[in-house]
Amino acid sequence: MALSVLQEITRTPPLICFGQISEEVAKLLELKAKLGDDSQKTKFVLKCPKGTRDYNPQQMAIREGVFNTIIKCFKRHGAETIDTPVFELKETLTGKYGEDSKLIYDLKDQGGELLSLRYDLTVPFARYLAMNKIQNVKRYHIAKVYRRDNPAMTRGRFREFYQCDFDIAGQYDAMIPDAECVKLVSEILNQLDLGEYIIKINHRKVLDGMFAACGVPDDKFRGACSAVDKLDKTFWDDVRAEMIQEKGIDPIAVDKIGKYVELKGRTELIDKLLEDEAMKAQKSAVEGLEDLRVLFKYLELYGITDKVVFDLSLARGLDYYTGVIYEAILQGFAHNPKAGADGDESVSVGSVAGGGRYDGLVGMFDSKGKKVPCVGVSIGVERVFAIMESRALASNTKTRTTETEVYVVSAQKNLVEERMKICKELWDADIKTEQSYKRNPKALDQFQYCETNSIPIAIIIGGSEIEMGVVTLRIVGSREERTVQREKMVEEIKSVLANLN
């Protein structure tokens, strides 16, 4: 038997030799080393993507307050709201932003369409109007937009950020909607109480007329405009060098532009430019200046001419503007090109609102080129947030992160069911209410929670209160207490809240 087994083994060839086994094992070990050991945790950096950030409850409370103020202003002026997708067809956005088009985020094709994240809310709005054949609307839109820019977080410049837009679309008489947009900016900045500000105003026709008067060829207007637009961020010498070296504009024409962009004023500057031989020879410049004269008349009726200045250095580089343009600058936070080098960058926030007239944008999406005149403004809320957060931090101001009005306190053990009954009654009465999630919390911990979170009222129950059908109402700030009948509890709480507010 043993002999037959031995003979069978010797007749069966080995499947693989030991040398081959060793070679295959070595290959597997090498592959494992390249892939990494699954038993070890992968090491990675926990951080937000560049140009984005998280917001804690205190920051969100500030943001919500700002949004509420802005939305009330929008609604006061009769606006209704819309929403559009966070991404658009790439062709929708292409060619609408001039040199800034390079900042558009393109998405990898996932379903047969070339898509890009929206750069602003204006172009999607124009697409919305054209697609739905809307001829007139007054709308606001608050949503996130995306720009592949170099972020400056302390100045409120991000790659993902909110815009708050207000636009008036429709065929109306000259400068009436434009004046309301400027008035709206003034109202919002006054109500946010950000300090002194100025609203710079210019007109694209005035700019084009100025370039023509200085001898800039028509095909170089947009390039010159985008260069001048950088004057709020850098010095004239840098802008001059860009126009000559990069834009190919004649130095003599550039120096003429330099004299014009220094000019600032109000109606007296309009009169001066209308007497300027070079400017009054340009039809577009005269039309723009006459528009501005009407605009200043309306702004005077609105009582805000002291906040507005006609500034020939204001250009706003986006290609779609066709008429009046404006930008709001906080005086205490004006841009300083040296900020960050020998000063605090946080005082270099820049403009906090901007906008203008764009009469040709909707027609770009219409098959027949039918135009819908539009004018609007965008509030730079991220910059507003940066200022308000900085102020809250500097002043050590405590920001409420909840709106809780009442906290139900049990003065002794085994009253969780009674607390729940009171909570239900208050919630049903639309009173913002909380309680401890412990069955038997310590009274001191409950009162401490009220004070830490600035909850104005505590409702206290114990065995004696339950027996007598009452509750103890405590005003947390003053620690004043009084007994209230249970059936009158809701009425009394609402009365106290009204007085405290």
Side-chain angles (χ1 to χ4, degrees):
M1 178 68 179
L3 180 59
S4 64
V5 171
L6 179 60
Q7 289 172 337
E8 184 65 29
I9 292 173
T10 55
R11 281 199 302 267
T12 305
L15 295 175
I16 189 167
C17 70
F18 288 113
Q20 287 177 300
I21 292 174
S22 300
E23 186 179 340
E24 294 300 322
V25 169
K27 288 180 180 178
L28 289 171
L29 290 173
E30 184 182 356
L31 182 60
K32 183 179 180 182
K34 289 181 179 178
L35 293 174
D37 188 355
D38 290 341
S39 64
Q40 297 180 357
K41 289 184 177 180
T42 303
K43 293 182 179 179
F44 60 92
V45 178
L46 283 172
K47 64 184 287 290
C48 292
K50 186 178 180 181
T52 66
R53 62 180 289 196
D54 293 323
Y55 296 91
N56 62 37
Q58 288 76 22
Q59 292 165 329
M60 285 303 299
I62 292 172
R63 291 166 75 87
E64 286 183 356
V66 171
F67 281 140
N68 289 338
T69 298
I70 293 172
I71 290 171
K72 284 179 182 177
C73 251
F74 289 163
K75 289 184 175 181
R76 186 184 308 128
H77 285 260
E80 51 194 346
T81 190
I82 68 166
D83 196 13
T84 61
V86 73
F87 47 80
E88 295 276 348
L89 294 176
K90 184 177 180 179
E91 63 188 29
T92 299
L93 305 182
T94 302
K96 311 302 189 303
Y97 302 106
E99 293 186 358
D100 285 346
S101 291
K102 63 181 181 291
L103 303 180
I104 295 173
Y105 268 112
D106 292 332
L107 299 178
K108 187 175 181 180
D109 177 28
Q110 295 287 343
E113 292 181 327
L114 294 178
L115 306 172
S116 298
L117 292 175
R118 61 188 173 202
Y119 178 89
D120 66 2
L121 301 178
T122 306
V123 171
F125 174 56
R127 189 266 306 155
Y128 171 86
L129 293 180
M131 193 174 83
N132 293 284
K133 308 297 181 186
I134 296 172
Q135 295 299 307
N136 56 77
V137 68
K138 187 188 296 182
R139 82 86 165 90
Y140 74 88
H141 189 186
I142 298 178
K144 285 184 176 181
V145 299
Y146 300 85
R147 297 184 184 178
R148 195 167 49 84
D149 201 354
N150 289 322
M153 308 292 274
T154 55
R155 287 192 293 169
R157 193 168 74 219
F158 303 89
R159 288 181 167 180
E160 177 194 63
F161 57 95
Y162 273 100
Q163 280 192 340
C164 298
D165 281 20
F166 173 94
D167 292 83
I168 301 171
Q171 188 72 53
Y172 301 110
D173 289 333
M175 298 298 107
I176 297 176
D178 309 66
E180 183 166 351
C181 286
V182 178
K183 167 64 172 167
L184 178 77
V185 173
S186 180
E187 285 180 16
I188 289 173
L189 294 181
N190 286 338
Q191 292 191 21
L192 290 175
D193 194 23
L194 297 172
E196 290 298 313
Y197 62 90
I198 196 75
I199 302 174
K200 296 180 180 180
I201 289 182
N202 202 354
H203 200 296
R204 285 305 276 267
K205 287 185 177 180
V206 173
L207 278 170
D208 288 349
M210 178 186 75
F211 294 140
C214 294
V216 178
D218 291 359
D219 62 345
K220 295 186 185 296
F221 279 10
R222 295 284 74 84
C225 192
S226 67
V228 170
D229 186 47
K230 297 172 184 174
L231 278 173
D232 66 332
K233 304 179 183 69
T234 187
F235 301 103
W236 166 249
D237 288 344
D238 298 328
V239 172
R240 182 181 185 276
E242 180 181 333
M243 283 198 281
I244 295 171
Q245 297 169 15
E246 296 180 28
K247 312 299 183 186
I249 301 172
D250 186 276
I252 296 175
V254 172
D255 289 336
K256 289 180 180 178
I257 293 171
K259 293 179 181 178
Y260 279 114
V261 295
E262 291 177 349
L263 300 176
K264 297 177 177 63
R266 292 184 173 88
T267 52
E268 78 284 352
L269 178 56
I270 296 172
D271 295 335
K272 178 181 177 181
L273 291 173
L274 285 170
E275 294 172 1
D276 184 286
E277 291 297 329
M279 289 289 279
K280 71 181 183 181
Q282 303 299 326
K283 181 181 178 183
S284 66
V286 173
E287 290 175 353
L289 290 168
E290 292 297 346
D291 276 350
L292 290 177
R293 189 194 298 280
V294 175
L295 178 64
F296 268 94
K297 177 182 177 182
Y298 293 156
L299 296 180
E300 185 175 0
L301 294 172
Y302 284 143
I304 59 170
T305 47
D306 61 319
K307 299 293 186 182
V308 178
V309 62
F310 173 25
D311 188 334
L312 276 168
S313 71
L314 177 65
R316 294 197 64 80
L318 298 178
D319 277 2
Y320 52 64
Y321 287 122
T322 58
V324 170
I325 52 176
Y326 33 82
E327 199 164 86
I329 310 289
L330 290 183
Q331 297 291 77
F333 293 83
H335 184 85
N336 172 12
K338 295 182 179 179
D342 55 3
D344 181 4
E345 193 186 36
S346 66
V347 302
S348 178
V349 174
S351 68
V352 291
R357 176 160 288 279
Y358 52 102
D359 288 348
L361 188 57
V362 178
M364 296 174 70
F365 297 111
D366 189 88
S367 58
K368 297 180 180 178
K370 189 172 183 179
K371 293 184 178 181
V372 177
C374 297
V375 63
V377 64
S378 180
I379 309 298
V381 287
E382 299 294 349
R383 292 179 172 181
V384 172
F385 297 149
I387 296 167
M388 298 189 79
E389 287 173 17
S390 174
R391 286 184 176 178
L393 191 63
S395 65
N396 254 342
T397 304
K398 178 176 172 56
T399 303
R400 279 202 74 184
T401 58
T402 72
E403 296 183 5
T404 305
E405 297 166 319
V406 177
Y407 195 87
V408 181
V409 176
S410 52
Q412 56 196 67
K413 293 182 178 180
N414 301 321
L415 294 178
V416 63
E417 290 86 357
E418 292 298 325
R419 293 204 318 263
M420 287 182 172
K421 290 176 185 177
I422 293 177
C423 284
K424 177 193 179 300
E425 189 175 345
L426 297 181
W427 288 330
D428 289 348
D430 197 27
I431 295 173
K432 302 179 181 75
T433 306
E434 283 190 83
Q435 65 161 329
S436 172
Y437 293 125
K438 292 184 177 180
R439 289 185 61 85
N440 297 307
K442 294 179 180 177
L444 184 60
D445 290 345
Q446 295 171 86
F447 290 127
Q448 184 63 49
Y449 184 89
C450 293
E451 294 184 3
T452 302
N453 293 279
S454 302
I455 298 173
I457 296 174
I459 291 295
I460 307 166
I461 55 169
S464 58
E465 280 89 355
I466 294 170
E467 288 180 11
M468 293 186 291
V470 299
V471 297
T472 299
L473 187 152
R474 177 173 183 164
I475 299 174
V476 175
S478 64
R479 300 193 178 184
E480 171 194 344
E481 293 184 356
R482 63 175 176 268
T483 300
V484 176
Q485 292 294 319
R486 178 67 176 269
E487 62 268 18
K488 294 184 179 179
M489 176 182 65
V490 169
E491 179 184 344
E492 188 67 21
I493 287 173
K494 288 184 175 181
S495 175
V496 171
L497 287 172
N499 290 331
L500 290 175
N501 290 334

